Amino acid sequence: MIARKTFSSGLVLVGAVHHDPVGYDKLQRVLAAVRPDIITLELSSYGRGFRTKYSRKLSLRIRSHAQALQARDSVSQKILPAAVEQLLAAVQFPFEYCAAREYTAAFRVPLYCIDLSRISRRRLRVLKDEALTRSNIATLLALPDKNLLNSVNLCYKRAAAVRNEPGDCLCLPAASDPADSDRDRHMSRRLRNLCAKFPRKRILHIAGWEHCANITGSLNLYGLLRDLSPQRILLDEAWSDNRSGLSGSPD
């Protein structure tokens, strides 16, 4: 595992694959290695409040619909298909928040949710009104099941391959939703302000890995903060079971 002395003061970006079923444990290891003074998240204050208020109720709704549909089709499963598990994860607190909250409570460091609330509000409304319906859950149950951990690891392998390419550059089209660019610009401003206000602090930001990649064709979060020389960590298998590796090492 990477020693704390590897990380200097300044900004550290942690790129994760959302819904990683073992992400909580891996992120705990990263936090123990980096020992940040401030933690920020790709989660809005609205999203945090929404989950505080509705997570239990909506999780019960999803499980109830799924169980009723499975009973109707004479399907008996103790474990829900991956697509339904991902829907459940969308209304629950993400592992990133849970791991960060535990760390900040233990070490009494601040935790900031810095994503855009207005975009989160719109997306969660659509999720609540359309994705959580009985008909949509029936569609998800009819999909071929997949191994979520395998899918997540494939995403990490893609991200790791990007880091090993000459120039560490990923060619992706510009974000199809302008809101994604707005989110990155907003989060970059929040992080830049924190770095300016606390120049001697170690600030760790946790986000989806695409926000932390070196992408051509569009300015993502890393591109907007490149002048600050942030260190980057990929939350891949290198952080599983106390193993370390190149892809988990900081830039």
Side-chain angles (χ1 to χ4, degrees):
M1 185 172 288
I2 300 169
R4 180 181 179 182
K5 65 181 180 181
T6 306
F7 298 93
S8 59
S9 60
L11 181 60
V12 179
L13 302 177
V14 178
V17 174
H18 299 312
H19 305 160
D20 181 350
V22 292
Y24 177 86
D25 291 336
K26 291 190 290 185
L27 186 52
Q28 282 192 318
R29 295 185 183 105
V30 168
L31 293 170
V34 178
R35 296 290 183 91
D37 302 300
I38 298 169
I39 300 177
T40 62
L41 283 174
E42 181 198 338
L43 177 69
S44 71
S45 56
Y46 177 84
R48 178 176 56 189
F50 177 92
R51 288 168 176 84
T52 299
K53 186 174 181 179
Y54 295 112
S55 178
R56 177 178 169 77
K57 177 182 177 180
L58 296 180
S59 295
L60 289 172
R61 180 196 297 181
I62 294 169
R63 292 185 184 280
S64 177
H65 283 332
Q67 290 167 0
L69 289 163
Q70 289 175 329
R72 182 198 66 182
D73 298 332
S74 299
V75 175
S76 178
Q77 289 186 349
K78 293 183 179 179
I79 300 176
L80 292 173
V84 179
E85 288 287 359
Q86 286 183 277
L87 184 59
L88 271 171
V91 301
Q92 296 169 347
F93 279 107
F95 76 83
E96 296 96 327
Y97 176 80
C98 295
R101 182 179 57 184
E102 180 173 320
Y103 180 88
T104 56
F107 293 95
R108 297 185 179 182
V109 300
L111 170 63
Y112 299 110
C113 296
I114 65 169
D115 207 344
L116 267 175
S117 283
R118 63 176 176 83
I119 293 173
S120 180
R121 182 180 296 108
R122 185 187 71 201
R123 291 180 174 178
L124 286 170
R125 185 182 300 119
V126 171
L127 174 72
K128 188 177 178 182
D129 293 343
E130 299 179 12
L132 303 187
T133 62
R134 187 182 177 97
S135 61
N136 183 63
I137 293 171
T139 300
L140 296 179
L141 287 170
L143 294 174
D145 200 10
K146 61 180 180 179
N147 185 295
L148 181 56
L149 183 57
N150 287 344
S151 298
V152 165
N153 285 337
L154 284 174
C155 290
Y156 280 124
K157 286 178 181 178
R158 182 188 182 204
V162 169
R163 294 171 65 92
N164 295 329
E165 288 292 329
D168 186 25
C169 191
L170 172 65
C171 294
L172 289 178
S176 56
D177 187 348
D180 290 333
S181 297
D182 291 343
R183 292 171 59 218
D184 276 346
R185 284 193 292 269
H186 174 79
M187 287 188 284
S188 70
R189 287 193 295 269
R190 291 288 304 274
L191 288 168
R192 193 176 290 278
N193 289 340
L194 284 170
C195 289
K197 187 175 181 179
F198 303 105
R200 296 184 180 180
K201 299 289 187 180
R202 185 177 297 111
I203 301 170
L204 182 141
H205 179 68
I206 308 162
W209 74 267
E210 296 94 336
H211 295 276
C212 307
N214 189 7
I215 297 177
T216 61
S218 63
L219 278 181
N220 65 345
L221 183 66
Y222 174 63
L224 291 165
L225 296 170
R226 190 191 300 271
D227 61 298
L228 298 181
S229 300
Q231 298 180 79
R232 290 180 295 161
I233 296 173
L234 185 61
L235 196 68
D236 62 1
E237 291 175 299
W239 294 95
S240 297
D241 301 324
N242 294 318
R243 291 175 295 161
S244 61
L246 176 63
S247 60
S249 301
D251 289 346

